Protein backbone atom coordinates (compact mmCIF):
# COMPACT_ATOMS: atom_id res chain seq x y z
CA UNK A 1 0.00 0.00 0.00
CA UNK A 2 1.40 3.37 -0.96
CA UNK A 3 0.54 7.00 -0.35
CA UNK A 4 -2.03 7.08 -3.18
CA UNK A 5 -3.92 4.15 -1.64
CA UNK A 6 -3.90 5.92 1.71
CA UNK A 7 -5.10 9.18 0.12
CA UNK A 8 -8.01 7.27 -1.43
CA UNK A 9 -8.90 5.55 1.85
CA UNK A 10 -8.65 8.82 3.77
CA UNK A 11 -10.93 10.53 1.20
CA UNK A 12 -13.49 7.72 1.58
CA UNK A 13 -13.44 8.20 5.36
CA UNK A 14 -13.67 12.00 5.14
CA UNK A 15 -16.34 12.10 2.42
CA UNK A 16 -18.41 9.14 3.59
CA UNK A 17 -18.55 7.74 0.08
CA UNK A 18 -16.58 5.49 -2.22
CA UNK A 19 -17.66 7.41 -5.31
CA UNK A 20 -14.62 7.58 -7.61
CA UNK A 21 -15.81 10.95 -8.92
CA UNK A 22 -16.01 12.44 -5.41
CA UNK A 23 -12.65 10.89 -4.48
CA UNK A 24 -11.17 12.43 -7.62
CA UNK A 25 -12.48 15.86 -6.60
CA UNK A 26 -10.89 15.45 -3.17
CA UNK A 27 -7.54 13.97 -4.23
CA UNK A 28 -6.97 14.89 -7.90
CA UNK A 29 -6.15 11.22 -8.52
CA UNK A 30 -7.55 10.20 -11.94
CA UNK A 31 -10.88 8.35 -11.80
CA UNK A 32 -9.48 5.38 -13.74
CA UNK A 33 -6.65 5.07 -11.21
CA UNK A 34 -9.14 5.26 -8.35
CA UNK A 35 -11.22 2.42 -9.88
CA UNK A 36 -8.09 0.30 -10.32
CA UNK A 37 -6.82 0.93 -6.80
CA UNK A 38 -10.24 0.38 -5.20
CA UNK A 39 -10.42 -3.01 -6.90
CA UNK A 40 -6.94 -3.87 -5.61
CA UNK A 41 -7.87 -2.74 -2.09
CA UNK A 42 -11.02 -4.93 -2.23
CA UNK A 43 -8.99 -7.94 -3.42
CA UNK A 44 -6.49 -7.36 -0.61
CA UNK A 45 -9.36 -7.35 1.92
CA UNK A 46 -8.66 -3.78 3.05
CA UNK A 47 -12.03 -2.60 1.74
CA UNK A 48 -14.54 -5.08 3.10
CA UNK A 49 -17.84 -3.87 1.62
CA UNK A 50 -19.78 -1.04 0.01
CA UNK A 51 -22.47 -0.65 2.67
CA UNK A 52 -24.23 2.63 3.23
CA UNK A 53 -24.10 4.10 6.72
CA UNK A 54 -27.46 4.16 8.47
CA UNK A 55 -28.53 6.72 11.07
CA UNK A 56 -29.78 4.36 13.78
CA UNK A 57 -31.61 7.13 15.65
CA UNK A 58 -33.58 8.08 12.56
CA UNK A 59 -34.26 4.41 11.85
CA UNK A 60 -35.72 3.92 15.32
CA UNK A 61 -32.86 2.13 17.08
CA UNK A 62 -31.86 5.13 19.19
CA UNK A 63 -31.43 3.43 22.57
CA UNK A 64 -27.80 2.43 23.07
CA UNK A 65 -26.79 0.17 25.95
CA UNK A 66 -23.31 -0.95 26.96
CA UNK A 67 -23.31 -4.31 28.71
CA UNK A 68 -20.24 -5.44 30.60
CA UNK A 69 -20.25 -9.21 31.00
CA UNK A 70 -18.46 -11.23 33.64
CA UNK A 71 -18.46 -14.87 32.56
CA UNK A 72 -17.49 -18.11 34.21
CA UNK A 73 -17.07 -20.63 31.48
CA UNK A 74 -15.62 -24.10 31.48
CA UNK A 75 -15.83 -24.34 27.69
CA UNK A 76 -14.38 -22.17 24.98
CA UNK A 77 -14.21 -18.40 25.21
CA UNK A 78 -15.25 -18.27 21.54
CA UNK A 79 -18.43 -20.26 22.26
CA UNK A 80 -19.57 -17.75 24.88
CA UNK A 81 -18.68 -14.88 22.54
CA UNK A 82 -20.67 -16.46 19.71
CA UNK A 83 -23.72 -16.85 21.94
CA UNK A 84 -23.56 -13.21 23.03
CA UNK A 85 -22.97 -11.97 19.46
CA UNK A 86 -26.15 -13.75 18.34
CA UNK A 87 -28.36 -11.79 20.75
CA UNK A 88 -30.73 -9.56 18.83
CA UNK A 89 -29.64 -5.93 19.04
CA UNK A 90 -25.97 -6.58 19.85
CA UNK A 91 -23.98 -4.75 17.19
CA UNK A 92 -20.49 -4.83 18.69
CA UNK A 93 -18.84 -7.36 20.98
CA UNK A 94 -15.44 -6.76 22.52
CA UNK A 95 -13.31 -9.28 24.38
CA UNK A 96 -11.61 -7.48 27.25
CA UNK A 97 -8.97 -8.13 29.90
CA UNK A 98 -9.49 -7.45 33.57
CA UNK A 99 -12.61 -8.04 35.64
CA UNK A 100 -14.91 -7.80 32.62
CA UNK A 101 -14.69 -10.57 30.01
CA UNK A 102 -16.81 -8.94 27.30
CA UNK A 103 -18.38 -5.60 26.49
CA UNK A 104 -21.43 -5.73 24.25
CA UNK A 105 -22.89 -2.67 22.57
CA UNK A 106 -26.54 -2.90 21.63
CA UNK A 107 -28.73 -0.53 19.61
CA UNK A 108 -32.36 -1.02 20.52
CA UNK A 109 -35.76 0.55 19.78
CA UNK A 110 -37.06 1.14 23.32
CA UNK A 111 -36.96 0.31 27.05
CA UNK A 112 -38.84 -2.96 26.57
CA UNK A 113 -36.13 -4.16 24.19
CA UNK A 114 -33.50 -3.31 26.81
CA UNK A 115 -35.32 -5.48 29.34
CA UNK A 116 -35.62 -8.31 26.81
CA UNK A 117 -31.90 -8.14 26.02
CA UNK A 118 -30.87 -8.20 29.67
CA UNK A 119 -33.12 -11.22 30.31
CA UNK A 120 -31.44 -12.96 27.36
CA UNK A 121 -28.03 -12.34 28.96
CA UNK A 122 -29.35 -13.91 32.18
CA UNK A 123 -30.28 -17.08 30.25
CA UNK A 124 -26.71 -17.68 29.07
CA UNK A 125 -25.27 -20.27 31.49
CA UNK A 126 -21.73 -18.89 31.39
CA UNK A 127 -22.79 -15.33 32.25
CA UNK A 128 -22.28 -14.75 35.98
CA UNK A 129 -23.37 -11.13 35.99
CA UNK A 130 -23.74 -8.06 33.82
CA UNK A 131 -23.37 -4.35 34.38
CA UNK A 132 -25.43 -2.26 32.00
CA UNK A 133 -24.96 1.38 31.13
CA UNK A 134 -27.60 3.38 29.28
CA UNK A 135 -26.08 5.85 26.85
CA UNK A 136 -27.77 9.22 27.33
CA UNK A 137 -26.20 10.91 24.33
CA UNK A 138 -23.61 9.92 21.75
CA UNK A 139 -21.15 12.79 21.70
CA UNK A 140 -18.79 11.35 19.10
CA UNK A 141 -19.00 8.22 16.99
CA UNK A 142 -16.81 7.87 13.93
CA UNK A 143 -17.52 4.75 11.92
CA UNK A 144 -14.65 5.70 9.62
CA UNK A 145 -11.55 5.43 11.80
CA UNK A 146 -9.25 6.93 9.17
CA UNK A 147 -10.98 10.31 9.41
CA UNK A 148 -9.45 10.78 12.88
CA UNK A 149 -5.93 10.65 11.40
CA UNK A 150 -4.04 13.12 9.28
CA UNK A 151 -2.87 11.83 5.92
CA UNK A 152 0.72 12.42 7.02
CA UNK A 153 0.29 10.18 10.09
CA UNK A 154 -1.28 7.42 7.97
CA UNK A 155 1.54 7.57 5.42
CA UNK A 156 4.21 7.55 8.15
CA UNK A 157 2.66 4.56 9.92
CA UNK A 158 1.30 2.47 7.05
CA UNK A 159 2.86 3.25 3.65
CA UNK A 160 5.24 0.55 2.49
CA UNK A 161 6.31 2.11 -0.78
Amino acid sequence: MDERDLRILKAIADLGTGSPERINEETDIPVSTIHYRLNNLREAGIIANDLYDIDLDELGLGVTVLVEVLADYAGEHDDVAATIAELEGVTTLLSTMGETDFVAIAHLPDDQAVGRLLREFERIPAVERTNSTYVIETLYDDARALSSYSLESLVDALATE
Side-chain angles (χ1 to χ4, degrees):
M1 183 167 29
D2 64 9
E3 183 176 342
R4 271 191 165 180
D5 291 330
L6 291 167
R7 286 175 51 209
I8 291 168
L9 292 171
K10 174 82 168 119
I12 291 170
D14 290 345
L15 297 170
T17 180
S19 164
E21 291 75 20
R22 294 281 314 280
I23 295 169
N24 165 262
E25 292 170 8
E26 180 79 9
T27 65
D28 290 326
I29 296 172
V31 172
S32 61
T33 301
I34 293 168
H35 279 289
Y36 172 77
R37 287 177 176 259
L38 287 174
N39 284 334
N40 289 344
L41 291 166
R42 278 186 197 94
E43 288 175 10
I46 294 168
I47 295 176
N49 58 48
D50 295 324
L51 293 178
Y52 292 99
D53 289 333
I54 297 171
D55 184 320
L56 296 177
D57 288 331
E58 290 297 319
L59 181 64
L61 297 175
V63 177
T64 302
V65 179
L66 310 176
V67 183
E68 295 176 77
V69 179
L70 178 64
D72 181 20
Y73 43 88
E76 291 292 321
H77 181 265
D78 291 343
D79 294 339
V80 177
T83 302
I84 294 170
E86 291 175 3
L87 296 177
E88 190 170 274
V90 172
T91 59
T92 303
L93 181 61
L94 308 167
S95 176
T96 59
M97 292 179 64
E99 189 174 321
T100 300
D101 295 297
F102 303 98
V103 175
I105 301 173
H107 296 280
L108 304 164
D110 53 34
D111 294 340
Q112 289 77 28
V114 174
R116 175 202 44 82
L117 178 67
L118 297 178
R119 286 188 297 279
E120 288 180 19
F121 272 102
E122 292 172 358
R123 289 187 196 110
I124 300 172
V127 172
E128 275 190 358
R129 68 179 173 83
T130 62
N131 180 40
S132 303
T133 303
Y134 244 95
V135 175
I136 297 169
E137 179 183 9
T138 301
L139 301 174
Y140 180 76
D141 182 19
D142 188 354
R144 298 176 190 93
L146 296 185
S147 66
S148 70
Y149 289 89
S150 71
L151 179 60
E152 181 179 296
S153 294
L154 290 171
V155 169
D156 288 347
L158 304 173
T160 57
E161 299 173 21

